[in-house]
Amino acid sequence: MKKKRRLVFRSILLAIIAIAVGYTFYNNVFQDRNGSVQKGNKAPDFELTDLQGNKVRLSDYKGKGVFLNFWGTWCKPCQREMPYMQKEYKKYQKQGVEILAVNVGESNVSVKNFADRFHLSFPIPLDGSREVTKAYGIGPIPTTFLVDKNGNIIEKTSESLTNQTIKTYMEKIKP
Amino acid sequence: MRYEGSAVRSQTYNKTFIDKIWNFFSSVKVGIGIIIVILVAAAIGTIFPQEMYIPPNVDPTTYYKQEYGTPGQIFYLLGFHNLYGSWWFLLLLAALGISLIIVSIDRGVPLYRALKHQRVTRHESFMKRQRLFAVSDHGISFEQVKKVLLGKRYKIKEDNGNILAEKNRFSRWGPYVNHTGLIIFLIGAMLRFFPGMYTDQTLWIREGETAAIPGTKTDEGQYYAKNHKFVMELYNKKDKQFSNALNQVNNEVPKNYQSNVTLYHADPSHVVGEAPQLKKVKDAKIKVNEPLAFGDYALYQVDFKLNEFHRMNLKLEKKSTGKSFGEIKINLFNPKSEYNLGNGYKVKMIEYFPNFKLDEDGQPATENSVPDNPAFVFKMFTPETPKGETAFIGIRKNVEAGKNKYKMTFSGLETKNVSALTVKKDRTLPIIIVGGIIFMLGVVQGLYWNHRRIWIQQKNGQLWIAAHTNKNWFGLKKEMQAISQESGLVMPVDQSDEKSA
């Protein structure tokens, strides 16, 4: 009897500690401490102006899959994946997938020259103040989020993507 | 194993999985082991800078190797670059917490019970075993002994003409109070990871710029700051009061670092990136150690960058005559693609490299988007050269495609300062302070008082005396001396002295 009570007491105490520690871990390790946006989160809404001067708002693309890319002209890996993105964009745009290539903190002139050079036709929202970049907690670029038609992030990657990967991703978010 | 006469719980049985975990953490050796591992890990973490202190634009995967070689790479691979937030360091702290709790329960509870239910009359062997012990034959007045003991603030229990005199038992709880404080402290540290409890983020903000303050977004909205001016003041070396000290150093001595800012607040309806509707909260001068406090937050001056390039001015000139046809002012953060100088003179910006470098293929490129070394490709149009002439212009660089008749010459540079502000919020601080105070109370309680017990028993016409303390035997002996003088009791002998003699 006494031993049983002892076991119950020990179990409860260890369980309480395990829950507290587990929750701390969940908050710290599995969700980034800087509050960066992770796979499984809802994609935070944002509004930016693109190269053509149009307002681009993420929530306007509800119902479509969004390939959300953060990049800079000076970043070589970003440069490498751009032609592939353009190629796949042409195919998948009709199937309800949109590419938003958010430029991180650069001037119109630099971005426009770059877009012309690579013949990019998808919207390029300019995040001059880096507010969106900060809100998403972007570390190294390129960083790509796959946002499904319900606005949920189903994938996050900071790799320079190959043509094949981009194709697979497009299939994933196709509504 | 026995502890203060009663069995340590953990060692009495060993059955289920739960008990095995419990018994593992119940060991003081394990506890000390955990503390040592934490100390060593925390020390290693200070060898190279933590991730948050390396330059923000570099990739940590390569930075540590580049800067510190192989040790740096090992440091990074083992996760020491983010030690204090790494899962295994947290696990160690959690293990320490568990160890403290279990060790305290396993020892504190039996100790409390044993001391609460102490017998007054103890066995002969118990008496003989005590370090201070004596047997005397002559009878003395028990009433007198009791009076003396009461005078020394002992609590007295009697049983069959035997006496147990005890004082400062509470000092035995010192370690447990101390542990409680530590556990509260650890809970406070743990709460830092809970949402809304703790913020510590840095914001770089240029003069004239308005930026969202990171970590201040709540359901009620978001705070913004505008940096009007960064001020750095130096001590004047001619200052009479300080000139002696100031002249001992070669460098200038800074007197003040200050950011003049305005704090704004925007409604929660605001979407990130969209121009926010700012409501002014207040103006403030943020100096080192004089933060701007608002709500739960405080904004501190932590760093600065002086004279960052902001605007570059260039003139269009005819080479042969040196005549100028106007000046263009290029905002290096937001340049225009075309600058019209009138009368058929204009300059188009074909390429812009804010931080110019040649890449691996020898092509012009930019390091990043910060205009530390701006370079441009211009196309200059004049009535004389309607097709345009192309030139590459950088700092001390001027490369032309062919033989140009016109050129761009540097005519001025405007710079701005950049302030770094840290925003902090710490709701865990009161908990950590309370934990710290309790910790110190426990230390004081355990160190400044000693738990002393004196047993006096009548056996076969003899008087047996034994005394025990948990620390400070010298103090106890002195007290016993006084007691025996005042009451006529025999002064007990220190048996450990006899053994060593």
Side-chain angles (χ1 to χ4, degrees), chain A residues 2-7 9-11 13-14 17 20-21 23-25 27-29 33-34 44-48 57 73-76 79 104-110 112-114 117 127 129-132 134-135 140, chain B residues 9-10 12-13 15-16 18-19 21-23 82 84-85 87 90-91 94 98 101-102 105-106 190 193-195 201 203 212 224 270-274 333-337 349-352 354 359-360 366-369:
Chain A
K2 204 179 164 192
K3 280 187 178 179
K4 199 169 176 186
R5 242 184 41 215
R6 193 173 279 178
L7 181 65
F9 170 76
R10 289 179 173 187
S11 307
L13 194 86
L14 286 174
I17 297 171
V21 171
Y23 186 66
T24 311
F25 267 62
N27 273 306
N28 180 52
V29 181
R33 203 171 1 154
N34 308 326
D45 197 14
F46 63 82
E47 184 178 287
L48 290 172
R57 200 178 179 128
T73 61
W74 46 270
C75 129
K76 284 278 165 193
Q79 236 174 69
V104 179
E106 286 182 282
S107 61
N108 277 31
V109 174
S110 310
K112 191 169 182 311
N113 287 334
F114 184 93
R117 188 150 31 111
D127 189 19
S129 64
R130 298 179 191 229
E131 218 182 298
V132 176
K134 280 178 202 158
Chain B
R9 278 176 162 211
S10 62
T12 53
Y13 72 117
K15 263 192 211 153
T16 64
I18 293 285
D19 294 319
I21 296 177
W22 189 276
N23 291 351
N82 185 20
Y84 310 107
W87 63 269
L90 288 185
L91 208 61
I98 296 169
I101 292 171
I102 292 180
I105 289 175
D106 263 5
M190 183 176 84
F193 297 109
F194 284 48
Q201 295 196 50
L203 166 69
Y224 284 76
H270 159 66
V271 175
V272 183
E274 181 193 43
F333 290 94
N334 192 16
K336 290 196 269 183
S337 53
M349 191 184 290
I350 310 292
E351 290 276 9
Y352 172 43
D359 67 11
E360 304 90 63
T366 183
E367 190 88 41
N368 49 40
S369 58

Side-chain angles (χ1 to χ4, degrees), chain B residues 470-488:
Chain B
N470 64 331
K471 55 171 69 85
N472 188 8
W473 287 90
F474 178 76
L476 177 65
K477 277 189 245 173
K478 255 181 89 173
E479 195 172 55
M480 288 306 295
Q481 206 108 47
I483 290 167
S484 62
Q485 265 168 25
E486 286 170 42
S487 67

Side-chain angles (χ1 to χ4, degrees), chain B residues 62 66 134 158 170 266 292 346 380 433 452:
Chain B
T62 54
Q66 264 173 27
E158 275 183 277
F170 77 97
L292 161 61
K346 67 177 178 184
M380 300 162 285
I433 289 171
R452 293 176 181 172

Side-chain angles (χ1 to χ4, degrees), chain A residues 11-136:
Chain A
S11 307
I12 290 171
L13 194 86
L14 286 174
I16 291 170
I17 297 171
I19 289 167
V21 171
Y23 186 66
T24 311
F25 267 62
Y26 172 76
N27 273 306
N28 180 52
V29 181
F30 304 110
Q31 294 209 315
D32 209 289
R33 203 171 1 154
N34 308 326
S36 80
V37 177
Q38 299 294 330
K39 183 177 166 178
N41 292 155
K42 193 122 191 117
D45 197 14
F46 63 82
E47 184 178 287
L48 290 172
T49 308
D50 75 4
L51 214 44
Q52 282 72 39
N54 305 316
K55 292 236 183 276
V56 177
R57 200 178 179 128
L58 183 65
S59 52
D60 290 346
Y61 293 92
K62 206 153 201 174
K64 282 184 172 184
V66 179
F67 184 96
L68 179 59
N69 180 261
F70 289 83
W71 68 284
T73 61
W74 46 270
C75 129
K76 284 278 165 193
C78 308
Q79 236 174 69
R80 250 175 272 137
E81 65 186 13
M82 280 293 175
Y84 306 137
M85 279 162 61
Q86 177 60 27
K87 191 174 146 205
E88 298 307 321
Y89 179 64
K90 276 192 236 152
K91 275 189 246 165
Y92 283 93
Q93 194 190 11
K94 291 171 221 116
Q95 301 179 40
V97 178
E98 192 61 49
I99 289 184
L100 296 180
V102 178
N103 176 273
V104 179
E106 286 182 282
S107 61
N108 277 31
V109 174
S110 310
V111 180
K112 191 169 182 311
N113 287 334
F114 184 93
D116 289 348
R117 188 150 31 111
F118 288 92
H119 309 290
L120 305 178
S121 62
F122 42 76
I124 302 180
L126 301 171
D127 189 19
S129 64
R130 298 179 191 229
E131 218 182 298
V132 176
T133 309
K134 280 178 202 158
Y136 272 75

Side-chain angles (χ1 to χ4, degrees), chain B residues 385-398:
Chain B
T385 56
K387 281 185 184 165
E389 295 177 331
T390 309
F392 173 87
I393 310 281
I395 293 174
R396 294 186 194 165
K397 288 182 204 80
N398 191 344

